[in-house]
Amino acid sequence: MLHLRLITPPDCTDDAVRLIENTVGTTHLVVLTGAARDPEGDVVTCDVAREAGDQLLSGLQELGLEKTGSIAVENIDLSLSRRADKAESDAPGEAADAVLWEHLVDATHEESTLSVTYVAFITLATMIAACGVVLDNAILIVGAMAVGPEFGPLAGICTAAVQRAPRLALRSLIALLVGFAAAMAITVGFSFFMDAVGLFTEEQLEADRPNTGFIYAPDWFSFVVAILAGAAGTLSLTSAKSGALVGVAISVTTVPAAANAAVALIYGDTNQTLRSSEQLLLNLLGIILAGTLTLLIQKWLWSRQQRNSAG
């Protein structure tokens, strides 16, 4: 269930209440006349089944409440109410299949912001991965994958493609490109330092690396795994099962590939640099294609389900 809190201008309150009452899957409607002070207006709250949430939010936006008032949405972790149970059973479809598009756009917008924190995380992840490739340590590689925040901008690109949001697409693309460029540049400097103090050596990089050699050996399996991970990651975002993102993060070799390319660059190994870059681009492409296709399928299936329910 979702909890909605609205601030509505007095002349829009009746329309908002009528919309809520006519939406199947809503309950616990409360109207507090004149309770809001900034902005001034009425406060309207209700609970709505997740599968009816997107339809209700779209209707409220058509009333212009996001401009003249406020629309706030929260997830309800526990609701002990027979009315809530009935609202969920009455709402068409399954909650796990419902996509709150406004929530997805907002979440990916935040995750795809080029901030100091984002650059710090992706840089630290790349430096950890650099240590992993030199030491041929799979644990460090997995750790670096989990730390990397690059799925946010990738999800933003997918969402922007489906929702036709060019500003979100540009924002996500800038975060992705600038983030990786900065991380690789700083990792090059980090690798020079580690080489100077004797912790990185060319012999370690060029030695047989059974645990991390796959990072600079792109093949069709790399693309297939990226496709599967992109689909799983997108589903985890749309179904609010964020725990699955950890599994997605450690399934693709984006950050390790960037790290391997940076380390190989300081030793003049153009073959590893190019192959690692190819691995990076292959994984990014696979995630974007799978994520976009997953969202398109979800949108089509949900629209079809809603039409069948209405019929």
Side-chain angles (χ1 to χ4, degrees):
M1 292 288 288
L2 303 173
H3 179 69
L4 270 63
R5 187 192 71 246
L6 314 176
I7 297 179
T8 67
D11 58 339
C12 289
T13 300
D14 288 342
D15 292 334
V17 170
R18 191 177 303 112
L19 176 63
I20 293 171
E21 290 176 335
N22 292 334
T23 300
V24 177
T26 59
T27 188
H28 303 154
L29 175 62
V30 177
V31 180
L32 303 174
T33 304
R37 293 292 179 265
D38 183 21
E40 291 187 356
D42 304 326
V43 174
V44 179
T45 68
C46 72
D47 295 341
V48 57
R50 180 182 175 86
E51 50 270 43
D54 191 64
Q55 176 188 352
L56 180 56
L57 288 175
S58 298
L60 293 171
Q61 286 181 296
E62 290 177 4
L63 296 177
L65 291 187
E66 79 278 11
K67 299 175 183 177
T68 59
S70 170
I71 304 174
V73 184
E74 299 175 328
N75 280 307
I76 300 176
D77 295 327
L78 176 63
S79 179
L80 302 178
S81 167
R82 289 187 178 181
R83 287 183 175 273
D85 294 340
K86 185 177 185 304
E88 287 189 312
S89 63
D90 289 343
E94 295 294 333
D97 297 332
V99 180
L100 296 176
W101 292 102
E102 285 300 324
H103 177 269
L104 182 61
V105 170
D106 183 70
T108 52
H109 182 277
E110 182 179 350
E111 293 294 325
S112 60
T113 300
L114 182 62
S115 62
V116 174
T117 301
Y118 170 80
V119 174
F121 267 117
I122 196 169
T123 300
L124 291 170
T126 306
M127 290 192 292
I128 293 172
C131 296
V133 297
V134 171
L135 297 175
D136 192 34
N137 189 314
I139 296 177
L140 291 177
I141 295 298
V142 171
M145 290 176 174
V147 172
E150 71 279 6
F151 192 80
L154 291 170
I157 293 173
C158 299
T159 304
V162 175
Q163 292 296 94
R164 299 178 183 178
R167 293 183 62 182
L168 177 59
L170 181 61
R171 185 188 191 94
S172 302
L173 187 61
I174 290 175
L176 192 67
L177 295 179
V178 175
F180 269 113
M184 293 176 72
I186 295 173
T187 302
V188 166
F190 171 73
S191 300
F192 272 120
F193 170 77
M194 296 293 280
D195 178 75
V197 298
L199 295 177
F200 280 10
T201 65
E202 185 175 2
E203 288 73 21
Q204 288 175 300
L205 181 71
E206 300 297 340
D208 184 32
R209 289 190 280 147
N211 293 320
T212 60
F214 68 93
I215 293 172
Y216 59 93
D219 54 21
W220 279 108
F221 277 108
S222 302
F223 188 68
V224 170
V225 170
I227 289 286
L228 298 176
T234 302
L235 285 173
S236 74
L237 286 177
T238 57
S239 64
K241 296 184 181 297
S242 57
L245 280 177
V246 177
V248 173
I250 61 177
S251 298
V252 291
T253 53
T254 48
V255 166
N260 199 87
V263 177
L265 187 63
I266 75 165
Y267 292 120
D269 189 338
T270 55
N271 178 58
Q272 281 201 42
T273 299
L274 292 176
R275 297 285 283 172
S276 298
S277 299
E278 183 182 346
Q279 178 79 280
L280 172 62
L281 295 175
L282 195 64
N283 278 270
L284 294 178
L285 178 62
I287 292 173
I288 291 173
L289 288 177
T292 302
L293 183 59
T294 300
L295 288 176
L296 287 172
I297 293 173
Q298 284 184 288
K299 193 171 187 177
W300 176 77
L301 287 175
W302 186 251
S303 297
R304 182 181 178 185
Q305 191 174 43
Q306 293 295 98
R307 287 196 302 268
N308 290 340
S309 299

